[in-house]
Amino acid sequence: MHRFGAEQPLALDGGINLTPFEIAYQTYGTLNADKSNAVLICHALTGDQYAADTNPNTGKPGWWQHMVGPGKPIDTDRFFVICQNVIGGCLGTTGPTATNPATGEPYGLNFPVITIGDMVRAQAMLVDALGIDQLFCVAGGSMGGMQVLEWCASYPQRVFSAMPIATAARHSAQNIAFHEVGRQAIMADPVWNGGTYTADAHPTKGLAVARMAAHITYLSEAALHRKFGRNLQDRENVTYGFEADFQIESYLRHQGFTFVDRFDANAYLFITRAMDYFDLAADHARRTKAAGTTGTLADAFRGTDTRFCVASFTSDWLYPTSESREIVRALNAVAANVSFVEIESDKGHDAFLLDEPELFATISGFIDASARARGLQEA
Amino acid sequence: MPAPPRATRADLARIAELVSPGARVLDVGCGDGHLLEILRDERSVDGRGVELSQTGVNACVARGLSVVQGDADTDLADYPESAFDFVILSQTIQATQNPREVMSQMMRIGARVIVSFPNFGHWKVRAHLAVNGTMPITSTLDYQWWETPNIHLCTLKDFVALCDLLGAQVERAIVLGSAGTARTFKGPPGWWANLTAEQAIFLLECP
């Protein structure tokens, strides 16, 4: 945990200074003498700082434990890996569950609306606090990939190599639509109470429905069909009622109800909003040019020396390959050093979290070549 | 998806010799990255690739090369003018949909262009068609007509005509005979080369 006091406010895109705030993070491996081997891992919407060790809240293994660890593609014998919980989250970093210093009560909906840019600015402050000038690599999937792109656009000199995986440079209308369904489910929960709910009565039903709807978008029809098909759950025949007759229903209910134990409903509202607002080309134009001008995505990367490796999955319909190609096209337009791989997988968007040998080969090859170019020693 | 064009790779070492050390290079249709690897390891080249096949791209990236999955016919338009010192099209032009457009794009984004291709004017090809009356199958063109990815075959003479059309100067040409013999020309090779070359490599200067 790192605490930033009143002397170090976080200037938010929404025009508010957040202060004080704290960032919860985990590190793995050892920072080398010249601090050139740091890898920042950015988590997805409902992820957390426990990328490669057991999550103390759930008792489950880290969400990227296949990818990060000794001898893994992101080798902690060789690299110093940092993973932070994002600002606006609910797993240690300041978010809507934190106490509002002005009222002494939890922020709830009074927490300022945050953006992907704000998340990255907070991350940069922690990286500063750790004394690291340049990250060897910034990597992440989905919302984590958005943060990777934001890092490359906002701090190009501070990112030697970058891996945006299964992501997009702007949130699509379809994705905003899915998020809105989730938010409306939360807000429709009778105990949500305008965001002012207590620890013993929080909007679990609404949050569970939000999670169920979102979870469908992370999978593919092929994966759902393989796993569940139209199989019935613990019964021979349908009941002609609204019980969870089908295995898929029972699975989704389980996903929904286990999620509410580890995630806060208001944090879900704030983080999905941050993703919806993400539009790297427009954000970059707004920050660097006169108001009203619209930029191209290539402008956000102009002059970059960062080495990029973009990856997408064939069955990901939430962040389809076409979105990754937009990023690659923009990088090509500025003659950036970019690799792009579309990985054959029928596991949908979630493939970036799973045991995907082709993804591992891609990432290992890219990391090793980047380490050679950076002059880092072999493990 | 058709298999990548098969060919003997005697041309790779010759192509590498044409590339200045430390140059910025784009290899279009780079396959599994063999040439890019030679260029990186032996010429300290800052190389990039474009490759259509997923297996090729994955092999490249796993070897630590910078390669984008894409199509030479459509994706070269994304690159800015004069982004590279050399743009290479090795044993790929005959598999493109629109060789003229691919060549124009390469000339736009590179100061120099290197193209290697199997010569359809080689005497064995001519003899095969003349004697057998069937589509030629040789060591550099070893596909049946109905399965070949090579849809735009040309002779040395044809290629030089395209260069003239596009205003590209032939700086050097290397022709490889059947026995692995190589001859180097300053400027376009003549009729004898067109008859005896199995493969050709052209180094072009873009206007």
Side-chain angles (χ1 to χ4, degrees), chain B residues 34-53:
Chain B
H34 193 173
L35 175 61
L36 280 172
E37 201 166 41
I38 294 172
L39 290 170
R40 178 186 67 191
D41 297 345
E42 294 173 18
R43 310 293 277 181
S44 306
V45 151
D46 179 12
R48 313 285 160 78
V50 177
E51 170 59 30
L52 192 58
S53 78

Side-chain angles (χ1 to χ4, degrees), chain A residues 307 309 314 325 328-329 332-344 358 361-366 369 372, chain B residues 24 40 46-50 54-55 57-58 60-71 75 78-80 83-84:
Chain A
R307 303 162 66 93
C309 182
T314 48
R325 282 205 182 276
V328 173
R329 202 165 292 135
N332 279 340
V334 297
N337 187 332
V338 55
S339 286
F340 166 61
V341 186
E342 184 186 22
I343 291 160
E344 190 88 41
E358 276 196 56
T362 299
I363 287 181
S364 298
F366 175 72
R372 270 198 303 277
Chain B
R24 289 168 52 80
R40 178 186 67 191
D46 179 12
R48 313 285 160 78
V50 177
Q54 190 181 354
T55 40
V57 175
N58 290 7
C60 289
V61 177
R63 286 160 110 158
L65 300 163
S66 297
V67 174
V68 168
Q69 191 163 23
D71 187 338
D75 293 355
D78 298 337
Y79 292 86
F84 296 94

Side-chain angles (χ1 to χ4, degrees), chain B residues 2 23 25 47-48 55-56 82 85 112 127 150 167 199:
Chain B
V25 173
R48 313 285 160 78
T55 40
S82 312
D85 300 316
R112 285 191 165 87
N150 300 329
Q199 297 184 63

Side-chain angles (χ1 to χ4, degrees), chain A residues 300-343:
Chain A
F301 300 122
R302 208 166 291 286
T304 184
D305 287 326
T306 302
R307 303 162 66 93
F308 289 84
C309 182
V310 179
S312 68
F313 298 95
T314 48
S315 57
D316 183 350
W317 55 278
L318 194 59
Y319 294 88
T321 292
S322 56
E323 303 268 4
S324 285
R325 282 205 182 276
E326 285 294 323
I327 299 166
V328 173
R329 202 165 292 135
L331 289 167
N332 279 340
V334 297
N337 187 332
V338 55
S339 286
F340 166 61
V341 186
E342 184 186 22
I343 291 160

Side-chain angles (χ1 to χ4, degrees), chain B residues 119 121-123 126 155-158 189-197:
Chain B
N119 175 27
H122 188 239
W123 67 267
R126 300 188 198 195
T155 70
L156 264 58
K157 206 167 158 183
D158 290 325
W191 70 272
W192 179 248
N194 196 25
L195 192 64
T196 55

